[in-house]
Amino acid sequence: MNAPVTVDGALAGRNIGWFADKGIMKVNAILLLSLISSYANGYDGSMMNGLQSLDEWKGYFHQPSPSTLALLNSIQHVGQLIALPFCAWSCDRLGRKQTLIYSAIVLMGGVALQGAAQNTGMFIAARGIIGFGIAFNFTAAPLLIMELAFPTQKSALVGFFNAQWNSGAIVAAWTTYGTFRIPNSWAWRIPSLLQALSSILQVALCFYIVESPRWLISRDRDDEAHAIIVKYHANGNPNDPLVGVEMEEIREALRIDREISMNTSYLSFFHSKGNRLRFTILLVVGFFSQWSGNGLISYYLTLILDSIGYTSEGTQTLINAVLAIWSLISTGFVAFFIVDRFPRRTLFLISTAGMLISFVIWTALQSTYEKQMAADGTQNPNLAKGVLACIVLYNTSFNIGWTPLQVVYVVEIMPFNLRARGLVMYSFAVAIALIFNQYVNPIALTKLKWHYYIVYDVWIFVELVVVYFLFIETRGSSLEEISMMIDGPEIKEKMMDNVAIATANIPHIPIDDEKKGGVSSSVNVEHV
């Protein structure tokens, strides 16, 4: 029997469940240290929401005005912008592993300064340093997950990586809910310090982190990459046909990348039709992921709750905490059970349509509530509950597509030589969108009230149209095969032909089903 020439072919007939063998379980345990990178980012948004509800924090920093709040929130993303030009260089030169570890150390330093802040200036400086560290950490982690994970599990894991934003949000929300009763500055210092939890774990357990085999091959360290693929993807069996196919696909994809662009830089995004489409999609994903109204909930939930009569410190922190838990549950469910069962583009469309519907209803209820308040000064608790329900529905819709898929989609469409740069450009778009949001949202909410929601109603409709006409489908097992889809069928066929030649002498040795365990794959075998 001839050797398979695709990853799907190499996996045909074998079990590929989460607990299929020790190799898969080991690599997933190792990847937990990368998965938690999203914790610090999610913690930040929820913490700032919570701190704005704490009387101790507001008093310590002299009742921050809307413009000051905007600065306190956005400075973290300014720090990210400063770091972003160096993130791709670090990931490609130092490696995904080293970048992850060094950035965790920077994050720990920023968090320590934040927790020890004595004035607004120190707090602002600390948040800038945190943003600087997050940029490197958030760039390296999904690259390492996508490039090291078992082929059929990479999408679910990267989707769950983004879901860990909510794990950080949960810890921050419930911490601020618990500490608001402390009658001194520790009410906000404790939540501030706990932002370093994920970074402490990454530094303490750094010796267990494994480098990306794709990065190792790009640095001519093929033997190390081979050993990693054998140990974690083939459960220690060097004769597993998956090993040869993965190694040859990576080598061939790197060779084609070099042919297309001999000198890789950010200008490479404009060298071909496929790369121009990639560039457009990653910017769209970056901006849309933050300009969909979610920034209102993530950073200014306090202002929204104030506008519908929920003004008590305890109630606001409790609502923030419950929303964080629901977001983690819904995103985790989608990442593990939905992402690989439905087309990416379909999930994006369902998600965006659900966001549009819930936001339009939210706008109608909010306007009715505020008009009634202006007319006779009475609060309508039923309308307020309706607004809360719309917030939950909006969050759920966002978590169907945008939360688990935005990083997955960006990484999947990129060839190796542009993968780090693509993630940097995506992060750049996110940071710009967030800075704009965090300056505009608090001021616009205060001045325009419910009229401001109409802007998002229109904008989300525009997003739905763009997703429908621009987004392509990317489901598949191999990163190399997926990235070639966007370059056209002739490029993909060329890669497959060369892989077939390279793997022609690799025997297709059946693997005993009793040793594989887990879920059986239903992919089709492709032979030459």
Side-chain angles (χ1 to χ4, degrees):
M1 183 181 292
N2 292 328
V5 298
T6 66
V7 168
D8 282 349
L11 293 174
R14 67 185 287 173
N15 293 320
I16 52 175
W18 295 96
F19 304 101
D21 56 53
K22 291 181 180 178
I24 290 176
M25 289 189 286
K26 285 178 181 177
V27 75
N28 287 338
I30 290 168
L31 288 174
L32 286 174
L33 291 172
S34 298
L35 284 167
I36 59 176
S37 284
S38 197
Y39 165 95
N41 216 7
Y43 190 101
D44 189 82
S46 186
M47 180 194 74
M48 289 306 297
N49 250 335
L51 293 186
Q52 291 172 56
S53 298
L54 298 184
D55 292 336
E56 283 291 337
W57 184 81
K58 289 186 286 189
Y60 196 92
F61 293 105
H62 312 295
Q63 305 298 324
S65 65
S67 59
T68 303
L69 284 176
L71 176 60
L72 288 169
N73 276 316
S74 64
I75 193 63
Q76 192 250 71
H77 302 291
V78 173
Q80 289 188 39
L81 282 176
I82 294 171
L84 285 176
F86 310 102
C87 290
W89 178 89
S90 179
C91 288
D92 288 341
R93 290 295 184 91
L94 302 180
R96 282 66 162 129
K97 175 182 175 179
Q98 296 299 327
T99 300
L100 188 75
I101 295 168
Y102 293 148
S103 62
I105 294 171
V106 173
L107 264 167
M108 288 167 59
V111 170
L113 185 62
Q114 178 177 260
Q118 300 299 307
N119 51 54
T120 304
M122 280 185 69
F123 198 83
I124 290 172
R127 290 184 54 69
I129 295 171
I130 289 171
F132 189 87
I134 283 177
F136 286 95
N137 205 259
F138 197 84
T139 301
L143 293 175
L144 189 54
I145 295 167
M146 187 66 90
E147 294 173 0
L148 180 60
F150 191 76
T152 59
Q153 297 172 3
K154 57 183 172 49
S155 298
L157 286 170
V158 176
F160 192 63
F161 162 80
N162 228 34
Q164 292 312 296
W165 192 99
N166 295 301
S167 70
I170 287 171
V171 175
W174 285 100
T175 301
T176 52
Y177 178 67
T179 61
F180 83 88
R181 300 171 181 83
I182 299 175
N184 54 52
S185 65
W186 284 105
W188 62 265
R189 292 189 191 278
I190 291 174
S192 296
L193 290 170
L194 284 176
Q195 189 169 0
L197 182 60
S198 60
S199 301
I200 291 171
L201 288 173
Q202 287 175 335
V203 173
L205 301 174
C206 65
F207 296 107
Y208 292 100
I209 300 174
V210 176
E211 184 57 88
S212 159
R214 286 166 174 82
W215 182 81
L216 290 171
I217 292 175
S218 75
R219 311 302 289 183
D220 297 323
R221 294 162 63 178
D222 292 33
D223 290 344
E224 294 175 59
H226 183 271
I228 289 171
I229 292 175
V230 168
K231 182 176 182 178
Y232 297 113
H233 291 187
N235 198 29
N237 178 13
N239 295 317
D240 191 321
L242 177 63
V243 176
V245 172
E246 281 201 78
M247 289 291 294
E248 292 306 324
E249 278 200 353
I250 294 169
R251 288 171 179 147
E252 183 61 21
L254 289 172
R255 189 189 65 77
I256 292 174
D257 288 346
R258 293 188 185 107
E259 278 185 5
I260 294 173
S261 180
M262 295 300 292
N263 297 307
T264 303
S265 69
Y266 285 100
L267 292 177
S268 299
F269 282 112
F270 306 100
H271 287 172
S272 68
K273 181 179 178 181
N275 283 349
R276 287 191 292 273
L277 178 58
R278 289 183 173 100
F279 183 74
T280 302
I281 290 175
L282 67 87
L283 289 184
V284 164
V285 172
F287 281 115
F288 285 10
S289 68
Q290 304 304 322
W291 276 358
S292 302
N294 51 311
L296 297 175
I297 300 171
S298 298
Y299 286 90
Y300 298 107
L301 181 62
T302 298
L303 297 179
I304 296 171
L305 295 177
D306 284 341
S307 72
I308 55 174
Y310 294 103
T311 57
S312 83
E313 191 177 19
T315 301
Q316 288 188 354
T317 52
L318 179 60
I319 290 173
N320 188 34
V322 171
L323 279 175
I325 289 178
W326 173 244
S327 292
L328 179 62
I329 292 172
S330 57
T331 305
F333 178 82
V334 171
F336 282 112
F337 300 107
I338 303 296
V339 160
D340 283 326
R341 295 178 183 270
F342 293 90
R344 307 277 196 259
R345 182 173 173 275
T346 300
L347 290 176
F348 274 120
L349 287 170
I350 293 172
S351 178
T352 309
M355 289 155 50
L356 176 60
I357 293 169
S358 55
F359 217 98
V360 168
I361 298 173
W362 176 1
T363 303
L365 293 173
Q366 185 84 28
S367 67
T368 305
Y369 182 93
E370 292 186 16
K371 287 176 182 177
Q372 187 171 318
M373 276 285 293
D376 54 24
T378 59
Q379 297 180 341
N380 189 325
N382 291 326
L383 288 173
K385 291 175 182 177
V387 170
L388 281 180
C390 286
I391 291 173
V392 174
L393 288 173
Y394 172 88
N395 258 10
T396 305
S397 298
F398 193 85
N399 293 337
I400 289 173
W402 287 97
T403 299
L405 283 178
Q406 54 183 284
V407 176
V408 172
Y409 198 65
V410 168
V411 174
E412 280 183 342
I413 65 174
M414 293 293 158
F416 178 85
N417 68 324
L418 288 177
R419 195 164 291 145
R421 288 178 173 84
L423 201 52
V424 165
M425 292 305 300
Y426 154 80
S427 298
F428 176 80
V430 168
I432 291 292
L434 282 170
I435 290 172
F436 176 84
N437 277 354
Q438 288 163 358
Y439 270 108
V440 172
N441 281 339
I443 298 170
L445 276 175
T446 303
K447 293 184 179 298
L448 299 179
K449 301 186 182 301
W450 70 268
H451 298 88
Y452 184 50
Y453 294 177
I454 297 174
V455 175
Y456 283 111
D457 293 333
V458 175
W459 181 249
I460 297 173
F461 175 76
V462 172
E463 291 183 357
L464 184 61
V465 174
V466 172
V467 170
Y468 182 84
F469 287 105
L470 182 66
F471 282 27
I472 63 170
E473 188 49 53
T474 61
R475 271 200 306 177
S477 296
S478 164
L479 271 181
E480 284 67 39
E481 293 166 32
I482 292 171
S483 69
M484 291 298 165
M485 289 179 185
I486 207 166
D487 292 309
E490 67 283 352
I491 299 294
K492 184 177 180 181
E493 288 174 10
K494 180 180 179 181
M495 183 187 78
M496 302 317 302
D497 288 343
N498 289 336
V499 170
I501 294 170
T503 59
N505 296 321
I506 299 176
H508 189 179
I509 301 175
I511 300 175
D512 185 2
D513 285 343
E514 293 182 359
K515 295 180 180 179
K516 291 181 287 189
V519 181
S520 178
S521 169
S522 60
V523 292
N524 296 321
V525 184
E526 296 186 37
H527 299 296
V528 293

